[in-house]
Amino acid sequence: MILNDASTIWLFDYDLTLYFESERAVLNSLDRRISLYVQKILGCDFEKAQEIRKEYLRDYGTTLAGLRAKFGVSPDDFFDFIHEPEFLIYPEPAPQKREFLMRLKGPRYIFTNGRSDWSRTGCKRMGIYDCFRRIVGLEDLNWEGKPQISAYEKMESVLIEDGVTEKIFPEKIILLDDSLKNLKPAAERGWRTIWVNSSLEPKPNFVHEKVENLIKLGIRNEEC
């Protein structure tokens, strides 16, 4: 059970973490736009573009990172294309998520590999946007997201700049993420890690806890 006190710093990934596997259609709608952008840049067919999107995600951490490395694409051009709202699906209102988040005593952040407008719009649709102190999006990470070490270093610097803490105590930082490759560098920094995943796959040693979705997380309150 995770300790819940005012000194705990909660970092949430957005996709498949703040909304659940049951709403995968949300992410699928975004992935389709990403594949279409890859198709536009490479001039290939859609099926090939989907393969390349997944290849870049695997090899570079994000599709954008692969496109930047190979073709020098502009991050804002990429996100302006994939975030066209009329082509996207957003999560449903989620009062239960709001109730859970508001029970968490420490500061809450979104730490995402997407540009912040995607998670901001989704959180507003769910009714949880004001539960977070700030969204730290890819634009705040110099376009180098998780699992790049620089992303975690930048997140720590944000916490200090925001006055959340004067010094980083890694054991006080909790990252919830659906991606093991994003959790491993966090664990290596001493952060606590929670894998949000509904499969039966056992958690690796660097994961402190695995939950089906965030509202299944057990927390223990303690006065600070």
Side-chain angles (χ1 to χ4, degrees), residues 24-211:
R24 180 170 278 273
V26 174
L27 184 59
N28 289 346
S29 72
L30 185 68
D31 283 345
R32 175 174 173 76
R33 293 296 295 169
I34 296 173
S35 293
L36 286 169
Y37 187 86
V38 172
Q39 182 181 20
K40 182 179 79 164
I41 295 298
L42 274 67
C44 58
D45 62 36
F46 184 73
E47 288 71 22
K48 182 63 176 179
Q50 287 184 306
E51 292 177 13
I52 293 171
R53 172 180 64 79
K54 295 174 183 177
E55 175 188 322
Y56 288 178
L57 180 63
R58 182 191 67 235
D59 295 344
Y60 292 90
T62 64
T63 305
L64 173 61
L67 289 170
R68 291 186 74 200
K70 289 184 172 292
F71 302 100
V73 303
S74 159
D76 280 320
D77 183 68
F78 171 80
F79 283 113
D80 287 347
F81 181 92
I82 71 171
H83 287 175
E84 286 287 347
E86 62 267 34
F87 300 109
L88 298 174
I89 297 171
Y90 294 97
E92 296 295 323
Q96 193 176 10
K97 292 178 194 175
R98 180 180 180 82
E99 181 183 349
F100 168 80
L101 290 166
M102 296 304 288
R103 291 205 310 267
L104 303 180
K105 294 184 177 181
R108 300 173 293 270
Y109 284 78
I110 295 174
F111 178 34
T112 174
N113 277 353
R115 198 174 65 180
S116 58
D117 53 308
W118 168 242
S119 51
R120 181 170 57 249
T121 302
C123 285
K124 286 181 177 179
R125 296 286 186 97
M126 287 187 280
I128 62 173
Y129 177 63
D130 64 334
C131 295
F132 299 97
R133 183 182 181 116
R134 181 173 170 183
I135 297 173
V136 179
L138 200 61
E139 70 272 32
D140 302 304
L141 304 172
N142 298 318
W143 306 112
E144 294 187 356
K146 301 169 287 184
Q148 301 300 318
I149 298 302
S150 61
Y152 304 84
E153 293 173 340
K154 178 60 177 177
M155 186 67 239
E156 290 180 354
S157 71
V158 165
L159 297 175
I160 293 173
E161 290 165 7
D162 282 2
V164 167
T165 182
E166 293 183 1
K167 178 183 176 182
I168 293 299
F169 298 94
E171 70 279 4
K172 293 292 187 180
I173 301 173
I174 299 177
L175 175 62
L176 295 91
D177 203 302
D178 67 295
S179 171
L180 288 176
K181 70 181 179 182
N182 293 342
L183 290 171
K184 188 172 183 180
E188 290 170 350
R189 297 186 75 78
W191 298 8
R192 293 184 64 79
T193 55
I194 298 174
W195 186 24
V196 183
N197 183 280
S198 60
S199 75
L200 297 177
E201 184 180 350
K203 70 179 183 65
N205 291 335
F206 61 84
V207 169
H208 295 94
E209 188 165 340
K210 179 186 177 186
V211 293

